[in-house]
Amino acid sequence: MALIVQKYGGSSVGSVERIQAVAKRVYKTVQAGNSVVVVVSAMGKTTDGLVKLANEISKSPNRREMDMLLSTGEQVTIALLSMALQEIGQAAISMTGAQVGIVTEAEHTRARILHIETGRLMGQINLGKVVVVAGFQGISSARKMEITTLGRGGSDTSAVALAAALGANFCEIYTDVPGILTTDPRLVPEAQLMTEITCDEMLELASLGAKVLHPRAVEIARNYGVPLVVRSSWTDQPGTWVTTSRTQERSLVNLELARPVDAIEFDINQAKFSLLRVPDKPGVAARLFGEISRQNVDVDLIIQSIHEGNTNDIAFTVNTHILKRDEAIAASIAPALRSQPNSDEAEVLVESNTAKVSISGAGMIGRPGVAAKIFATLAQAKVNIQMISTSEVKVSCLVDATDCDRAIVALCNAFEITASPAVLASPTPESPAVRGVALDMNQARLAIRQVPDQPGMAAKLFGLLAEYNISVDMIIQSQRCRVVDGVTRRDIAFTVARMDVENAQQKLTQVADELGWGEVVLDNAIAKVSIVGSGMVGQPGIAAKMFTALAENKINIQMIATSEIKISCVVGQDEGVKALQVIHTAFDLAGSEKFVVPV
Ligand SMILES: Nc1ncnc2c1ncn2[C@@H]1O[C@H](COP(=O)(O)OP(=O)(O)O)[C@@H](O)[C@H]1O
Ligand SMILES: N[C@@H](CC(=O)OP(=O)(O)O)C(=O)O
């Protein structure tokens, strides 16, 4: 007999008939000899409707009252599903987050789970009842009894956290698609179903826009080794398993606030190439990285900054073992990238004495204070950051090789862990280079012009945003420097969630004079398209293939950022869906079947 947590999302409980169908599935699972805890979301688009109501009354509703309002959606579903279960002869009881004892921090509308009392739940399970729990909600403390919510899409997080706390055998996420597909089937009907995906890959995909699973839920599954499967609530297909590799015993106290950083790694054999003033037109990145991959050179980090005038800067790192060869390649390609012979475009700069320091951990997701602490720590140690490359679970900084030891000591002290040389994740033979493609249309870009190039600037900038709980992604410093008023300056561009962008722009503009930077430019009309796959590690040519697919379709790349297992490109908003489709095709991810997502 197994203890199973099943989660049913809004689409699975969108009508009375669907709730009755869910009840039957739960009943069948119990009949097969299992104990079941069910976590449900609000019916259909109820939460959106409640948000709309609040916005009709206030432009910025009080966050406590917002939680009071939004938590009602799930309360309707738990009662109805319990009734439906009782109606077919299955003993059941509904419970709100407060009744279960899902204790969270006191951050209204985005609370993290601290711990879950399991006594009351287990008592009911031992009486033979199915417990139906309201997802997405908790209470800030047993004494204060303030209702909190976990943030939109938070029911996945409730379910996996409950599975971890109860030591459940596995957690099933039921939704309106048959599992995790190579991309969103609503945008690419030929998307293929996967039988499994690693937690690391799913974390990237989820945080890059694949909303089938919430990244916080994947984070908990990874940290606590919870077996997790995504399945369709309309069929009996086996779905997609999200696999975890290792788990050390971990305390269930401060469940979502456990150690934010798991590892500090360094690689002292990195060389940085910068191509300055590369023409800003489709095809340039494809040409450059196409040639590099034809020479079988594997690039590690790639960044392309925002354009200034009509040119961009592209920088990438390679292992110093192949530096000489790569130097020759970049120098030979540069003339071909110029729009006119003898122009000052595509100047190649090589810095061979650089080192990469990376900080990783799933706990940094949605916690902007962690990235800010990394930058603050490096600033205090007087380490200047030459290049920053970010993903939701990793921040890599390229620093001068002579600063590497100092950087590591400072970071190890700050995060209380030890460092180790970077070991490339070794993909298994089955790991495809590209597992999935994701599109995020909810990001906006901010560019700060002429930021003084001194240690501490990134710390101030991201520390300030962290104070307002604004998470930053795709941070890119331009490679080009400019001296203004005797100070060397660079532009810094980054993406943030669109809902935070105006606030971020305002806060950064307010301190512009004090911190000595220029204009803060906002672009809302962007889309971010990303490929993810642990098999891309050590395999040259993946970036080139992605850039070529975009170039062949005349889609201009505005920004590039990579981490070990993902490559993201920012393109114009109106080209986002097309970009997703052509990349999906380029990597041969399409299957023979077409998915139609039920409405
Ligand atoms: N890679 C992907 N695989 C499967 N579904 C995806 C993917 N990327 C995005 N989706 C979307 O996620 C949706 C399911 O998430 P969501 O609407 O939050 O479901 P629920 O209401 O069950 O919580 C699917 O209908 C699909 O459009
Ligand atoms: N009802 C909440 C929580 C949730 O997770 O919903 P769903 O499982 O339908 O995405 C929301 O809409 O944000």
Side-chain angles (χ1 to χ4, degrees):
M1 180 175 129
L3 172 58
I4 303 171
V5 175
Q6 295 186 333
K7 179 255 171 178
Y8 294 89
S11 50
S12 305
V13 292
S15 64
V16 165
E17 292 71 30
R18 287 190 177 175
I19 290 177
Q20 286 166 329
V22 166
K24 281 196 192 128
R25 188 183 287 270
V26 174
Y27 181 63
K28 232 168 86 184
T29 315
V30 177
Q31 289 299 302
N34 304 297
S35 299
V36 184
V37 172
V38 184
V39 175
V40 285
S41 300
M43 292 171 71
K45 303 264 175 231
T46 301
T47 314
D48 289 343
L50 294 171
V51 171
K52 194 159 166 276
L53 279 179
N55 289 338
E56 279 171 24
I57 288 184
S58 163
K59 254 182 89 185
S60 53
N62 177 286
R63 288 180 32 210
R64 176 187 184 276
E65 302 311 329
M66 212 51 195
D67 278 352
M68 192 63 91
L69 177 70
L70 298 195
S71 60
T72 60
E74 273 67 15
Q75 204 168 325
V76 171
T77 326
I78 54 172
L80 292 177
L81 180 58
S82 268
M83 290 175 199
L85 282 163
Q86 289 161 7
E87 212 43 42
I88 55 175
Q90 173 60 54
I93 180 170
S94 61
M95 283 191 187
T96 62
Q99 285 173 319
V100 171
I102 300 180
V103 181
T104 72
E105 43 174 7
E107 273 284 339
H108 284 293
T109 73
R110 52 180 173 227
R112 291 197 169 243
I113 298 174
L114 297 177
H115 71 271
I116 299 180
E117 320 259 342
T118 50
R120 226 178 139 205
L121 267 176
M122 285 315 295
Q124 296 296 333
I125 291 169
N126 291 338
L127 291 174
K129 291 186 192 168
V130 166
V131 188
V132 185
V133 179
F136 171 63
Q137 56 176 260
I139 39 160
S140 65
S141 76
R143 194 172 48 84
K144 287 202 175 147
M145 296 293 280
E146 284 291 330
I147 296 176
T148 52
T149 64
L150 310 183
R152 296 302 308 269
S155 293
D156 291 343
T157 309
S158 310
V160 183
L162 270 165
L166 290 165
N169 295 73
F170 54 91
C171 178
E172 296 179 315
I173 306 283
Y174 283 94
T175 184
D176 56 1
V177 284
I180 301 162
L181 299 144
T182 47
T183 194
D184 188 342
R186 289 176 204 265
L187 303 175
V188 183
E190 301 78 16
Q192 261 187 95
L193 181 64
M194 309 174 196
T195 48
E196 61 171 43
I197 182 169
T198 66
C199 258
D200 289 340
E201 289 170 320
M202 194 57 223
L203 256 179
E204 292 280 5
L205 269 185
S207 63
L208 292 166
K211 69 171 192 155
V212 62
L213 266 183
H214 198 284
R216 275 166 63 186
V218 186
E219 176 195 357
I220 300 170
R222 178 167 106 154
N223 287 348
Y224 290 92
V226 177
L228 181 62
V229 62
V230 178
R231 304 182 62 189
S232 159
S233 36
W234 336 116
T235 70
D236 284 322
Q237 282 174 270
T240 309
W241 282 92
V242 183
T243 58
T244 49
S245 44
R246 44 104 227 163
T247 16
Q248 295 160 348
E249 272 304 301
R250 215 169 170 129
S251 158
L252 287 160
V253 177
N254 284 343
L255 201 138
E256 275 202 275
L257 288 183
R259 219 173 44 191
V261 167
D262 279 333
I264 296 175
E265 289 172 346
F266 57 91
D267 179 355
I268 48 172
N269 295 317
Q270 291 256 324
K272 179 175 82 163
F273 279 76
S274 310
L275 272 104
L276 307 188
R277 298 178 300 278
V278 177
D280 179 33
K281 58 181 188 205
V284 169
R287 230 156 64 225
L288 173 63
F289 292 101
E291 193 50 43
I292 290 175
S293 82
R294 268 188 289 283
Q295 311 283 340
N296 221 17
V297 172
D298 188 27
V299 289
D300 185 5
L301 306 178
I302 304 174
I303 59 167
Q304 180 196 293
S305 71
I306 47 147
H307 64 94
E308 194 180 351
N310 51 4
T311 63
N312 286 322
D313 299 336
I314 299 181
F316 56 94
T317 64
V318 297
N319 198 288
T320 39
H321 298 139
I322 44 151
L323 176 64
K324 281 284 164 256
R325 189 150 54 98
D326 214 38
E327 221 166 323
I329 297 167
S332 68
I333 303 169
L337 300 178
R338 294 179 188 137
S339 48
Q340 284 168 8
N342 303 326
S343 73
D344 70 346
E345 291 168 335
E347 178 192 348
V348 183
L349 293 184
V350 184
E351 278 165 76
S352 51
N353 54 342
T354 52
K356 182 175 77 171
V357 184
S358 306
I359 299 93
S360 59
M364 58 176 90
I365 296 175
R367 251 173 282 166
V370 179
K373 183 169 168 183
I374 294 165
F375 299 137
T377 306
L378 292 176
Q380 271 158 19
K382 305 240 172 330
V383 173
N384 202 21
I385 305 168
Q386 298 190 17
M387 188 164 153
I388 302 169
S389 169
T390 47
S391 83
E392 285 275 299
V393 289
K394 193 163 196 164
V395 177
S396 296
C397 298
L398 202 70
V399 301
D400 200 285
T402 52
D403 289 341
C404 184
D405 285 348
R406 225 171 49 251
I408 293 168
V409 170
L411 289 167
C412 288
N413 285 337
F415 290 101
E416 296 174 4
I417 46 176
T418 49
S420 54
V423 192
L424 283 186
S426 40
T428 55
E430 326 63 88
S431 322
V434 177
R435 182 85 77 167
V437 190
L439 177 67
D440 190 345
M441 300 285 272
N442 295 316
Q443 297 257 316
R445 184 180 66 199
L446 284 173
I448 311 182
R449 301 290 185 194
Q450 301 183 8
V451 181
D453 185 29
Q454 299 156 352
M457 267 305 162
K460 285 198 183 113
L461 207 166
F462 299 110
L464 178 77
L465 295 178
E467 269 175 43
Y468 297 96
N469 214 14
I470 298 174
S471 283
V472 172
D473 195 18
M474 275 187 82
I475 304 165
I476 300 186
Q477 305 187 85
S478 70
Q479 299 306 300
R480 219 174 304 180
C481 296
R482 191 188 300 165
V483 179
V484 180
D485 303 332
V487 180
T488 310
R489 295 161 188 276
R490 291 179 197 273
D491 296 345
I492 296 188
F494 49 88
T495 57
V496 295
R498 206 167 281 171
M499 65 177 186
D500 290 330
V501 75
E502 269 148 26
N503 192 13
Q505 185 189 28
Q506 193 196 6
K507 298 292 179 310
L508 293 168
T509 306
Q510 273 166 7
V511 295
D513 284 347
E514 184 193 327
L515 297 179
W517 60 55
E519 201 187 351
V520 182
V521 187
L522 161 64
D523 185 354
N524 258 321
I526 61 156
K528 185 166 71 176
V529 60
S530 311
I531 55 175
V532 173
S534 47
M536 72 175 69
V537 177
Q539 192 173 322
I542 304 303
K545 198 167 181 177
M546 179 181 189
F547 303 155
T548 304
L550 295 174
E552 282 173 355
N553 288 278
K554 309 232 164 354
I555 298 173
N556 198 26
I557 304 171
Q558 301 180 10
M559 277 166 104
I560 302 171
T562 65
S563 80
E564 242 168 43
I565 64 164
K566 74 129 199 224
I567 303 172
S568 296
C569 293
V570 167
V571 299
Q573 187 183 20
D574 49 354
E575 293 176 319
V577 174
K578 177 93 191 282
L580 177 80
Q581 291 166 340
V582 300
I583 292 169
H584 192 265
T585 307
F587 286 98
D588 266 338
L589 296 173
S592 47
E593 221 183 303
K594 282 196 178 198
F595 281 103
V596 182
V597 184
V599 267

